Structures are given as C-alpha cells and as structure tokens.
Amino acid sequence: MKRYSDLTYKGKSAFVGVDVHRKRWDVTIVVEGAEIFGGSIPGSYESLKQMLCRVEGATITVVYEAGYFGYSLHDKVRKDGMACIVTPPSLIPQEYGNHIKTDRRDSRKLAHFAAKGLLKRVWVPSEAERGHRQVLRRRSQLIGDRVRTQNRIKAELRYYGIELDEPRGKWSKVYVENLRRLRLADRWSRESLDRLLEEYEFLSGQIVRQTTLLRELAETVEYREEIRLLQTIPGVGMIAAMHLVLELQDMSRFRNGEQLAAYVGLTPSQYSSADKIRLGRITRVGKNQLRGALVEVAWRLIVKDGRMRQVYEHLKVRTGAKRAIVAVARRTLLIMRRMLLDGQVYRPASLAQ
C-alpha cells in the first residue's frame, strides 16, 4: 500500500472536519469518500496546517461548528487560500437512533457531510463588523448583569423580611439611596448589602458609557444613513435601529423577506401531514435580542401608526394578543428591509414585500 506521501491529490477535493476545543482538536480528512486521516492534534492552526500537508495539491475545504471559538480559524484558513465552512450546530443532520457522541465522531460527521454538500453555513461578518457588533452585545450583557444584581438585592431584602415596592426596570438614584438608608440587624449585614448596591451602581455607569459608545458608532459613515432611515418609523430609536443594522449588516444577502424572517426566527413553525397543515409558534431560532427589540418596536408602533393598529386588532381577534404582536413585529421587519434596500423613509401605508 502506498503511503500518503507517495500519493498525489492534485485536482482532487479534500474536506477537513475540525472539532475545535481549547487544547486539542479532532480532525478528519476525507478525499473522494475515503478517510485520509482521523485523530487528535494540538489545538492550534499551525498544527492543522502541518496536517494538511498530507493532501498537498488538493482543493481543501475546512469545516467547523460556529460557537465559542468565533471566526479566527475561518480567517486564517481563508488567508491561506483555502475554503472554509462555519456551520450552525443546530442544522447539522442527525442520525436517528444514534446516541453516541464523541469529538472524533463529530469531526468525521463534519468532513463527510461537507463532502456530500449537506451542511449549511453561517454568514461570517468582517473583522470590523464583528467589533461593531460587540459594542451592542456588550451593552446587552451589562444590562443582563445589572438585572441579576437587582434580583440578588431583592432576594437579600426578602431574606431579612423586608418588603418594598419595586419599580420596574432601572432603579432611580432616589430608590438606591433609600436602600442605603435601610436599618439592618448589624454592621455585617449592612455592609454586605452595600457591596451589592455598589455593584449595581457600577454596572449602571458601565451601561451609560457603553450606550455613549454605541451612539458614537451610530454617527459613523457606515451606519449614519441607515439609522436615519429606520428612525423615521414611529417607535424606533437609536438602540433598536442599531440592533437591526449591526446584527444583520448587509440586507441584500437575504434573497427575500421570507428568508430574513426565518433567519431572525419570526417564521411560524409548521407541522404538515397528508392534507393537514398546522402552523405553530414561531421557530425562535437565530437572533433572540433582535427579535425582542422588534417586538418592543411593534408595541410602540401600534400606538403611533393607525394602519398597524388595525392590523394588530384584526389579528388579535383571531390569534390572541401575543401572536398578533409577533405578526406585527414580523411585518415591521420586512418593511425595514424594504426601506434599507430602497433607501426610502417610512410611510404609514407601507406594505412589506
């Protein structure tokens, strides 16, 4: 049998499945349906490049799952002139009845599925776009951290048997000062609660700074015109508009409105058998925070736009308030798409296409 070093792969296609972890990567190389290599290597791109020398001359496609490790591997592979697929884990075909999962099996599946053309790929934003998007996502993370701190404070007060009226959303400075004036049993309890209040105030300050940074980004050449257009929609502020443009970026990459709605997770799930068709809840795949921002916009829009209010009331009778407002959010998303593609401001009688 010839060794791999004696073989030529010129003109052939090699598919490389990589199951990425911090210290070790499991790699499978498939050429024309045959496994050339399968095993573990040190977790670095340099080690992977050495492994790819086994199929020198072939057209190489590297595939790995989207997730924790981001797009740095994708960037390095593309820089070296090879193709790269970053595939969403939720859309990888599953083998019915197979309950065995190992890193080696995962890398084999990726390589073989890629060779058969069965894998979807995520859209990979540019390095600059990733940095811009992180401004928005860091703000959302800080808000989540502040909510968790609020919940810890409320839990501690209940532990001491203290019940207070709780304002919704962000606490005012007056409310926080009143919490500082509460009389607790001893110094130890008082100072322990103060640490939580200090954490809350620190996070509030960080959110203000991150919001300022987001506002500065919205005024840059890349986003200024798009944000101006979107803010002509009643109820759409700077933050909601930035959610849309930063999470979706190039709107022209979506062939139509249906594809965009599916990407955001605003498409109803469907269960069909024979002549029976049943539509269920929205799929909720994709962009959770963008979806939430669109629903908030929809609630404000039906107050300020009579046409959208009519749409909401009509759907509400048939489907209920929750499904009706989600339908309005979906329609609003499609209108936003049309506005950005055409460079047009919002018109109350706009129809989503």
Side-chain angles (χ1 to χ4, degrees), residues 21-250:
H21 293 278
R22 191 166 65 89
K23 294 183 179 180
R24 303 289 299 178
W25 293 358
D26 279 88
V27 178
T28 301
I29 304 176
V30 172
V31 178
E32 295 183 340
E35 290 188 18
I36 305 304
F37 173 82
S40 295
I41 63 172
S44 69
Y45 181 61
E46 289 70 26
S47 300
L48 180 63
K49 282 182 67 175
Q50 292 178 8
M51 188 57 57
L52 296 181
C53 291
R54 293 172 178 255
V55 288
E56 186 176 357
T59 301
I60 298 174
T61 300
V62 177
V63 55
Y64 70 102
E65 294 182 8
Y68 174 77
F69 290 94
Y71 302 114
S72 59
L73 176 57
H74 169 274
D75 292 345
K76 293 172 183 175
V77 169
R78 292 298 303 273
K79 186 177 180 181
D80 284 340
M82 296 175 283
C84 187
I85 298 173
V86 185
T87 187
S90 60
L91 297 182
I92 296 175
Q94 300 298 315
E95 298 173 322
Y96 178 76
N98 185 357
H99 301 292
I100 300 175
K101 182 187 183 303
T102 65
D103 296 339
R104 172 71 193 282
R105 280 174 175 256
D106 288 345
S107 73
R108 290 185 71 242
K109 284 198 302 183
L110 291 173
H112 283 284
F113 286 154
K116 296 175 182 177
L118 297 177
L119 292 180
K120 303 288 186 181
R121 64 173 72 210
V122 301
W123 175 75
V124 179
S126 68
E127 190 172 358
E129 289 168 340
R130 290 173 228 162
H132 297 166
R133 192 171 61 182
Q134 205 59 24
V135 175
L136 177 70
R137 293 184 175 182
R138 181 68 66 242
R139 180 181 181 276
S140 297
Q141 289 170 351
L142 289 168
I143 290 174
D145 291 341
R146 185 173 67 183
V147 170
R148 282 186 284 275
T149 300
Q150 284 177 293
N151 290 335
R152 291 192 189 104
I153 294 171
K154 290 187 283 189
E156 186 137 340
L157 293 176
R158 291 193 184 99
Y159 179 76
Y160 295 134
I162 300 172
E163 290 290 341
L164 296 176
D165 292 334
E166 298 171 4
R168 298 184 63 181
K170 178 186 174 182
W171 291 342
S172 66
K173 291 183 178 180
V174 173
Y175 187 81
V176 174
E177 284 303 315
N178 289 336
L179 293 179
R180 289 189 179 281
R181 295 192 186 98
L182 288 175
R183 297 177 63 87
L184 300 182
D186 51 43
R187 169 197 169 195
W188 320 112
S189 301
R190 177 68 264 172
E191 292 204 14
S192 295
L193 179 60
D194 285 344
R195 298 297 86 76
L196 284 175
L197 294 173
E198 289 164 5
E199 181 179 349
Y200 174 85
E201 291 179 318
F202 170 76
L203 289 170
S204 294
Q206 292 293 94
I207 292 168
V208 170
R209 294 179 62 186
Q210 198 67 13
T211 302
T212 301
L213 186 63
L214 185 63
R215 198 175 299 279
E216 291 175 7
L217 181 60
E219 291 296 325
T220 59
V221 171
E222 294 94 328
Y223 303 110
R224 184 186 305 135
E225 182 60 20
E226 291 181 322
I227 299 304
R228 184 191 68 80
L229 289 175
L230 292 175
Q231 285 186 301
T232 62
I233 302 175
V236 174
M238 181 275 296
I239 293 173
M242 288 297 278
H243 264 287
L244 188 86
V245 299
L246 291 179
E247 291 293 350
L248 300 180
Q249 293 291 342
D250 182 10

Side-chain angles (χ1 to χ4, degrees), residues 267-272 276-283 318-319 323:
T267 299
S269 54
Q270 181 173 327
Y271 307 88
S272 301
K276 296 180 180 179
I277 299 176
R278 181 166 62 89
L279 298 179
R281 297 180 176 179
I282 57 173
T283 59
R318 292 165 39 205
T319 64
R323 290 191 176 185

